Amino acid sequence: MQVFKKNFIVLFALAFLLGASFVSSVVAKTNDAVKVSLNFEKNVYGYEESVPVNVSITNQSKAGVKILRWLTPFDGVKEDLFVVTLDGKPVEYIGAHYKRAAPTEKDYITIRPGETFEATVDLAGYYDLSKTGFYQVNYEVEAANIFSYQNNLLDQTEELRSSVAQAYIEAHEAAPILDMPDAVSGSTTFTGCSTSRQSSLVTARNNASTYALNSFNYLNAGTRGARYTTWFGTYTSSRYSTVRSHFSNIRSAMDTASVRFNCTCTDSAYAYVYPTQPYTIYLCNAFWSAPSTGTDSKAGTLVHEMSHFNVVAGTDDWAYGQTAAKNLARSNPARAVDNADSHEYFAENTPAQQ
């Protein structure tokens, strides 16, 4: 009976999907030259199969188009690039969250006139597919400066978007969640870190702890000065309460969690984490040349990364760099409250504001 039921469900899925088109595309809102297409390779995926989705980005114009590299899958998936839903409910992204500097020219790829860039992404490696059902997927990234690092109109975000493709996917094994107990030793351990880097990281954690405490004290006192509004925008009690809760958790984790530092990353970014795997922080090339404190510092980077963990604040990366973060606070305070760099810059408080 169970086998019959399972086969019936799969047959129903096939019947539902055979009439659907699996190639979807739509012109991006802010650049009519760019077309994003998305398609699954088949209709139904078993529980042990990879779930490849094909992405292509085509330049339909007669001039070259520059696109921010890390918002494409062409060097691997290094950000949350897709909106994945099951029965209308969002599916959790389990890939890495990076801290990066504001983009410069070298961070862009150029797609020539008529050229198409293509990549295949295994969704099972980046999204929680632990339930069986019909999944809807579309490519959707939104940020300032997707098409030009010289664009100063940062109040208006740009986006790349495809329409929806769908497939029936049997439950895949859930990604491990390496949660920590409520009371931990606060130890610091290292992987692939030289003695000098270990020393630098211990100092950075101590400085980050000071930043987190100072930030929490500011918020716990109910202060509503320029320091808050610069990074989180217009005051509302609910948003303020959210930020205060975030820094309470950041402070607690920075002081008491068992933090694992991994120094094996060779990416040009500062650092990254997997939000479902506290409290392992991967340090990359830019981290080692950053100042100890101040803007985009080692200590601030640790605050940024700690805020990404779901058990801490679950922040995302809506804007990178001080200019973009300030504009985000003005244009979209709700996203500023969810932006990791906004938390970092509030904590670093450079130049100092009350």
Side-chain angles (χ1 to χ4, degrees), residues 201-215 247 250-255 261 281 287 292-293 297-304 306 347-348:
L201 285 165
V202 169
T203 299
R205 183 176 180 181
N206 288 334
N207 289 336
S209 176
T210 300
Y211 272 160
L213 175 61
N214 175 273
S215 299
F247 274 102
I250 293 169
R251 172 198 173 195
S252 177
M254 203 67 73
D255 290 348
F261 291 119
I281 301 176
F287 179 85
S292 296
T293 57
S297 62
K298 291 183 176 71
T301 296
L302 297 190
V303 171
H304 175 118
M306 190 65 78
E348 291 171 339

Side-chain angles (χ1 to χ4, degrees), residues 189-195 197-198 201 261-265 288:
T189 56
F190 307 93
T191 299
C193 304
S194 66
T195 301
R197 287 187 171 184
Q198 290 183 32
L201 285 165
F261 291 119
N262 188 308
C263 300
T264 61
C265 173
W288 304 112

Side-chain angles (χ1 to χ4, degrees), residues 20 25 33 43 65 67 77 136-137 148-149 156 190 199 202 221 232-233 241-242 244 275 278-279 299 313 335:
S25 63
N43 303 330
V65 173
I67 300 178
V77 176
Q136 294 78 40
V137 182
S148 172
Y149 70 99
Q156 178 165 356
F190 307 93
S199 176
V202 169
F232 298 116
S241 177
T242 296
R244 181 171 55 219
Y279 295 95
R335 284 190 175 175

Side-chain angles (χ1 to χ4, degrees), residues 80-145:
D80 184 2
L81 302 180
F82 301 89
V83 172
V84 183
T85 60
L86 174 63
D87 297 328
K89 297 180 180 179
V91 169
E92 184 177 18
Y93 171 69
I94 57 174
H97 277 298
Y98 282 75
K99 170 177 166 56
R100 303 180 184 276
T104 61
E105 184 175 13
K106 66 181 178 59
D107 296 310
Y108 288 77
I109 58 173
T110 299
I111 304 180
R112 293 173 295 190
E115 188 174 24
T116 297
F117 280 26
E118 298 178 308
T120 299
V121 175
D122 179 8
L123 289 180
Y126 302 98
Y127 294 86
D128 180 6
L129 307 182
S130 59
K131 295 180 180 179
T132 296
F134 293 100
Y135 283 80
Q136 294 78 40
V137 182
N138 66 290
Y139 189 93
E140 184 175 323
V141 293
E142 182 176 333
N145 291 345

Side-chain angles (χ1 to χ4, degrees), residues 6 104 170 185 207 243 249 337 339:
K6 181 176 179 180
T104 61
E170 292 186 343
S185 65
N207 289 336
V243 177
N249 293 343
V337 168
N339 187 52

Side-chain angles (χ1 to χ4, degrees), residues 193-323:
C193 304
S194 66
T195 301
S196 62
R197 287 187 171 184
Q198 290 183 32
S199 176
S200 178
L201 285 165
V202 169
T203 299
R205 183 176 180 181
N206 288 334
N207 289 336
S209 176
T210 300
Y211 272 160
L213 175 61
N214 175 273
S215 299
F216 175 73
N217 287 343
Y218 177 102
L219 295 160
N220 202 42
T223 312
R224 305 181 194 175
R227 179 180 176 184
Y228 176 85
T229 56
T230 295
W231 303 116
F232 298 116
T234 304
Y235 171 87
T236 67
S237 60
S238 61
R239 287 198 295 265
Y240 195 92
S241 177
T242 296
V243 177
R244 181 171 55 219
S245 175
H246 287 177
F247 274 102
S248 176
N249 293 343
I250 293 169
R251 172 198 173 195
S252 177
M254 203 67 73
D255 290 348
T256 66
S258 294
V259 176
R260 298 174 288 273
F261 291 119
N262 188 308
C263 300
T264 61
C265 173
T266 57
D267 193 281
S268 61
Y270 284 82
Y272 69 92
V273 301
Y274 293 94
T276 61
Q277 299 179 20
Y279 295 95
T280 300
I281 301 176
Y282 298 83
L283 294 318
C284 304
N285 289 350
F287 179 85
W288 304 112
S289 59
S292 296
T293 57
T295 301
D296 292 317
S297 62
K298 291 183 176 71
T301 296
L302 297 190
V303 171
H304 175 118
E305 296 303 334
M306 190 65 78
S307 77
H308 276 318
F309 292 123
N310 290 344
V311 296
V312 177
T315 60
D316 289 310
D317 293 308
W318 295 104
Y320 286 114
Q322 281 199 338
T323 299

